[in-house]
Amino acid sequence: MNCCVAGLQWGDEGKGKVVDILAEKSDIVVRYGGGANAGHTVIIDDNRFALHLMPSGAVRPGTVCVIANGVVVDPGVLLEEIDGLAEKGISMEGRLLISENAHVVLDYHKREDRLREESLGKHKIGTTARGIGPCYADKVGRCYAVRMADLRNPAALREKLEDIVAYKNKLFAALYNAAPMDAGEIFETCCRWSEALSGHIVNTTEYLFSALDAKKNILFEGAQGALLDLDHGTFPYVTSSNASTLGLGPGCGVSATAVDVFLGVVKAYTTRVGAGPFPTEQDNEIGQWIRDRGHEYGTTTGRPRRCGWFDAVAVRFTARLGGIHQIAMMHLDTLAGLKELKICRTYRIDGKETTFFPGDAGRLSRAECVYETVAGWSEDLTRIERYADLPDAVKTYVAMVERLVGVPVTLLGVGPKRTQIIYRD
Ligand code: IMP
């Protein structure tokens, strides 16, 4: 069976844990978009793995991990992750494949990300500063792009980097009055990466087509969340890739028709990092309470996440967009202790009620939420193993989400560990 797992909110929904669980029955796990801006956490016994580029299936030693063409790869981060896993006794030898068509994030991309954000002042996007936007921009622009395949041909790469760095130096000096960069230094770093990673660089589309023919079980792992999708999210406060399941085809060459189940992941509430509208945000003691209980601080940047109520208008939209068959609802345990809980049912925008999520950030920032209110629960859920044993208030909450979103919730997260998950049916 082939399954695609993707976030339905603004990222950080708990996809890492869901992918880790599903990877047990998968032969291959594929990352198809984003880059080191992602932060997927997997907790096994007392070991905490925070992965940014490596597919979360990496922690299962028998699983092949594919970083497909849609990912922007920062080889420095990837090598740190390979070493970090090796220190914990997990080898990636012979089971990590990186697409030759994936684009490389270089130092000048990260520099540009930081310089541009600084220059934007109060209009900044609040990026992770991992060079994601500038690298995707070079991909689309074509003339100044470096792909993983280029790491295999040092002579041509040297020439290419000289041209690119000369161009970037002119640009950065004119726009940001920045000091020039040295193409030679960047080239030397690339040579180190080439030595360490060349053996992993292949045509991943060809590999995946053969795997599909051989009826392997493939798990596709989305990064970020659908509300950060470049085309359908809250533009311009989005990431620079198609972070919804719509990124699957362009991101790895596999058609959506090859996928049996699209599984959307949500938190039982909502979080967002960076700027942009967030209709259900609770910038008050409730938001702080959720942040403290849920340890809502970014895996990649450590920034405090903005927290708020579950937004069924947004998730109904992203579930439809992603062709979602089932939902995994994570962090239900975090909400224990609140007297009542709210779920946003509709928006009121410019005096009119609407059930449709407006992608436009301006319109969305004028949305007032119309809420359903349900009773909370105080019980500790972290030791519960069966759906039947959950408090009635939890079941009512889940049923309300299912009714408003129109998709069944089949997995429920009740704690950070691999084992703290409840399967329904
Ligand atoms: P970028 O992807 O670094 O360009 O950041 C663009 C926006 O996406 C910012 O608001 C980031 O906070 C957000 N973002 C990027 N990656 C993630 C993620 O993995 N989780 C949550 N937010 C993210």
Side-chain angles (χ1 to χ4, degrees), residues 10-12 37-39 113 125-130 132-133 224 228 237-240 272-275 300 303:
W10 278 289
D12 310 315
N37 49 349
D113 205 348
I125 290 170
T127 71
T128 59
R130 295 299 187 266
I132 306 300
Q224 289 86 41
L228 288 171
Y237 301 101
V238 292
T239 189
S240 298
R272 171 163 209 174
V273 250
T300 303
R303 290 181 290 179

Side-chain angles (χ1 to χ4, degrees), residues 183-324:
E185 256 175 49
I186 297 175
F187 174 68
E188 273 165 34
T189 306
C190 287
C191 289
R192 281 201 301 278
W193 292 341
S194 167
E195 211 169 294
L197 293 174
S198 278
H200 296 280
I201 303 171
V202 298
N203 184 325
T204 53
T205 309
E206 186 183 10
Y207 172 79
L208 289 174
F209 283 3
S210 307
L212 287 168
D213 291 344
K215 303 273 182 267
K216 297 277 186 200
N217 293 316
I218 311 180
L219 183 59
F220 299 93
E221 174 181 6
Q224 289 86 41
L227 296 172
L228 288 171
D229 186 280
L230 178 61
D231 286 278
H232 300 279
T234 50
F235 192 88
Y237 301 101
V238 292
T239 189
S240 298
S241 62
N242 285 114
S244 65
T245 63
L246 299 177
L248 175 73
C252 71
V254 173
S255 153
T257 55
V259 175
D260 302 294
V261 177
F262 282 100
L263 178 70
V265 186
V266 296
K267 266 181 193 156
Y269 46 92
T270 312
T271 62
R272 171 163 209 174
V273 250
F278 177 179
T280 62
E281 180 169 17
Q282 297 300 299
D283 190 10
N284 53 30
E285 69 283 2
I286 292 177
Q288 187 58 45
W289 188 91
I290 296 174
R291 187 175 304 117
D292 291 342
R293 289 243 338 155
H295 311 291
E296 293 295 355
Y297 295 87
T299 318
T300 303
T301 59
R303 290 181 290 179
R305 296 180 183 140
R306 298 157 67 192
C307 299
W309 298 122
F310 188 88
D311 187 341
V313 181
V315 175
R316 184 166 51 236
F317 169 69
T318 53
R320 178 83 189 264
L321 190 69
I324 299 299

